Amino acid sequence: MGKIAVIYHDDFTKYDMGKNHPFRGGRYERLDEVFSHEMLAARKDDITFVRPKPAGDEAIRAAHGSDYIDLIEALDKDGG
């Protein structure tokens, strides 16, 4: 097996899209427990935690359509 990058930021704990959705902040509360599991602990030298940087406009537009971006911007203005 190769190297593993785990993308993590404390802001991820703020996500909560519902009980049955994978984007829930509570799942990060057990991250230390998960990475202390003996199988992963044995590979600790292969695991790197990466703190993401905010995406620029160009990167966002490369991944999302204009309609979606317009919707998110409108929600943001309205506090949604």
Side-chain angles (χ1 to χ4, degrees):
M1 257 189 191
K3 301 276 184 180
I4 299 168
V6 178
I7 311 302
Y8 179 77
H9 191 285
D10 291 339
D11 284 351
F12 292 175
T13 62
K14 297 176 185 176
Y15 279 95
D16 190 347
M17 296 185 172
K19 180 181 175 184
N20 295 317
H21 196 284
F23 288 150
R24 293 185 316 279
R27 71 185 179 152
Y28 293 102
E29 293 171 3
R30 296 184 56 210
L31 200 59
D32 288 341
E33 181 183 337
V34 169
F35 281 95
S36 68
H37 187 278
E38 71 179 65
M39 185 177 77
L40 291 175
R43 297 201 50 221
K44 68 181 178 187
D45 293 336
D46 295 330
I47 301 171
T48 303
F49 283 84
V50 178
R51 184 180 178 98
K53 297 176 184 173
D57 191 57
E58 184 177 336
I60 293 170
R61 293 192 181 282
H64 300 288
S66 295
D67 290 345
Y68 180 74
I69 293 170
D70 292 344
L71 170 66
I72 297 302
E73 288 175 344
L75 288 172
D76 184 51
K77 287 178 188 172
D78 293 337

